[in-house]
């Protein structure tokens, strides 16, 4: 496994590899868990060379967000990736990615003003910018992204399409703990009591899935169910509960086509998100 810290070296290695091999990239911010590892396994399946980037991207954190305390443990990540036979870790520092006078940003306009974009101003500009940089640096044929961050996935898909980027975005389903909690690096912030409360998110999604299956298509009824479940215990602060068109992310009143139920809430101080697709097929 090769650890590469500079853009120049990474681009040189990528050029060499691209002569006869397919590169798969998994962009991450590190502090890896089984969700990340599942994406790495997927990349392994579909490509000859697997690159994982580890970079806690400052441009996607708001001023009041958790950049400084975002969990990091490179040695642990390195061990996990070694076990997965990862070929390359791209591990740049902030100056390498954002040198002095850095001033170019990418905005995916239609999709950014919904869900998390409403409260996390500029977050998706930071995400789209760093991901497009990673694509230019690692030059992958495939890039694997988790559906756990549904809006992020849709934004990256749209960016790749709009800017004619020459690679395939590969979505991967949300990996959960045995009890249903979506895996997240931020779960480490939760106390045991908070972790218990966080399970309400999954419980509320299961309830909506069951109602949808039974024929309920009225969004206000479905959203109310989520609200009831999340409010059943103190300490879960709802940020949003939305049911939107799965492609445009525009909120709807009735489910006619493929829709996405997306939830963001705070359990204690920890912000958690989750989602599920509601579709007949
Ligand atoms: P990070 O939160 O580290 O996530 C890296 C990738 O892992 C993303 O594609 C995310 O959707 C996926 N992922 C996280 N938890 C998952 C789970 N439980 N199941 C399946 N996939 C999961 O997302 C980011 O980093 C950053 O925004 C990044 C894209 C790296 C840009 O900085």
């Amino acid at each position: 496994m090769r650890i590469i810290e500079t853009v120049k070296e990474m681009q040189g290695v990528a050029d060499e590899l691209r002569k006869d091999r397919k590169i798969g990239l998994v962009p991450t911010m590190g502090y890896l868990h089984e969700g990340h590892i599942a994406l790495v396994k997927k990349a392994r399946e579909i490509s000859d060379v697997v690159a994982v980037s580890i970079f806690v991207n400052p441009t996607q954190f708001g001023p009041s967000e958790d950049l400084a305390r975002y969990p990091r443990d490179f040695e642990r990540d390195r061990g996990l990736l070694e076990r997965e036979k990862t070929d390359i870790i791209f591990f740049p520092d902030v100056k390498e990615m954002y040198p002095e006078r850095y001033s170019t940003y990418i905005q995916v306009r239609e999709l950014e003003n919904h869900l998390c974009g409403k409260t996390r101003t500029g977050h998706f500009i930071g995400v789209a910018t760093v991901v497009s940089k990673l694509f230019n640096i690692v030059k992958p044929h495939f890039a694997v992204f988790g559906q756990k961050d549904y809006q992020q996935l849709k934004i990256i898909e749209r960016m790749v399409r709009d800017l004619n980027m020459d690679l395939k975005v590969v979505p991967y389903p949300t990996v959960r703990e045995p009890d249903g909690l979506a895996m997240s690096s931020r779960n480490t912030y939760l106390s045991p009591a908070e972790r218990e409360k966080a399970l309400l998110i999954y419980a509320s999604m299961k309830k909506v899935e069951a109602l949808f299956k039974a024929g309920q298509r009225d969004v206000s009824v479905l959203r109310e169910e989520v609200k009831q479940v999340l409010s059943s215990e103190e300490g879960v602060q709802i940020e949003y509960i939305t049911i939107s068109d799965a492609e445009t992310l525009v909120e709807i009143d009735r489910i006619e086509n493929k829709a996405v139920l997306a939830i963001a809430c705070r359990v204690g101080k920890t912000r958690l998100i989750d989602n599920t697709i509601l579709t007949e097929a």
Side-chain angles (χ1 to χ4, degrees):
M1 188 168 67
R2 200 158 162 181
I3 295 164
I4 299 180
E5 297 185 16
T6 69
V7 170
K8 199 161 178 228
E9 184 185 353
M10 186 64 243
Q11 286 177 322
V13 168
D15 283 339
E16 201 50 42
L17 289 169
R18 280 183 72 97
K19 286 180 185 161
D20 57 357
R21 286 193 270 171
K22 300 282 187 209
I23 304 174
L25 170 65
V26 181
T28 81
M29 298 204 298
Y31 214 73
L32 305 178
H33 52 66
E34 283 174 52
H36 295 115
I37 298 302
L39 307 193
V40 175
K41 286 190 198 299
K42 179 72 193 175
R44 182 83 274 163
E45 224 178 274
I46 57 179
S47 30
D48 304 313
V49 177
V50 175
V52 175
S53 61
I54 298 181
F55 180 63
V56 182
N57 172 38
T59 65
Q60 71 187 74
F61 287 80
S64 62
E65 292 181 2
D66 57 350
L67 173 63
R69 66 173 202 132
Y70 195 85
R72 298 160 208 243
D73 189 343
F74 182 73
E75 284 313 313
R76 186 173 150 274
D77 290 346
R78 184 222 289 257
L80 289 172
L81 293 175
E82 193 109 53
R83 228 180 293 157
E84 295 306 319
K85 308 210 177 337
T86 303
D87 299 288
I88 296 167
I89 302 180
F90 180 55
F91 182 53
D93 67 14
V94 173
K95 271 204 228 105
E96 186 67 13
M97 291 297 275
Y98 297 107
E100 230 182 298
R101 297 193 304 283
Y102 186 87
S103 59
T104 305
Y105 292 88
I106 292 190
Q107 186 174 24
V108 181
R109 286 190 169 165
E110 189 188 56
L111 298 174
E112 70 166 6
N113 295 322
H114 310 286
L115 314 181
C116 295
K118 277 191 181 159
T119 46
R120 301 190 74 188
T121 317
H123 168 68
F124 289 111
I125 293 180
V127 169
T129 300
V130 81
V131 169
S132 64
K133 284 171 67 68
L134 290 167
F135 289 171
N136 285 331
I137 296 164
V138 182
K139 310 189 187 194
H141 297 82
F142 304 105
V144 188
F145 287 86
Q147 275 164 9
K148 156 85 175 20
D149 301 280
Y150 189 78
Q151 187 174 12
Q152 168 170 284
L153 168 67
K154 290 289 136 186
I155 283 176
I156 301 302
E157 285 176 347
R158 187 71 66 87
M159 174 182 84
V160 165
R161 192 200 73 167
D162 287 355
L163 296 180
N164 312 103
M165 293 177 169
D166 191 13
L167 76 150
K168 191 170 173 345
V169 173
V170 179
Y172 194 86
T174 301
V175 179
R176 299 180 180 281
E177 301 282 357
D179 60 11
L181 182 67
M183 293 201 180
S184 165
S185 306
R186 290 188 169 100
N187 290 351
T188 54
Y189 299 151
L190 298 168
S191 70
E194 287 171 345
R195 194 181 170 306
E196 201 59 36
K197 287 180 189 173
L199 289 177
L200 291 174
I201 303 170
Y202 185 64
S204 73
M205 294 196 319
K206 283 285 138 197
K207 190 138 197 206
V208 166
E209 282 171 8
L211 289 168
F212 177 78
K213 230 174 168 183
Q216 183 57 261
R217 296 291 181 270
D218 185 330
V219 162
S220 59
V221 173
L222 297 171
R223 287 181 59 206
E224 188 55 33
E225 274 304 323
V226 177
K227 201 170 156 192
Q228 291 296 330
V229 176
L230 293 181
S231 312
S232 65
E233 278 192 53
E234 301 246 310
V236 181
Q237 236 183 305
I238 299 167
E239 188 180 298
Y240 65 73
I241 302 162
T242 55
I243 296 182
S244 317
D245 179 276
E247 283 312 307
T248 64
L249 304 183
V250 172
E251 282 191 65
I252 51 180
D253 298 326
R254 263 195 85 72
I255 304 178
E256 313 275 5
N257 303 310
K258 193 173 166 186
V260 58
L261 162 65
I263 299 170
C265 56
R266 262 171 220 281
V267 181
K269 282 192 176 142
T270 307
R271 186 175 184 276
L272 298 174
I273 58 169
D274 207 339
N275 68 80
T276 187
I277 300 289
L278 302 170
T279 179
E280 315 237 355

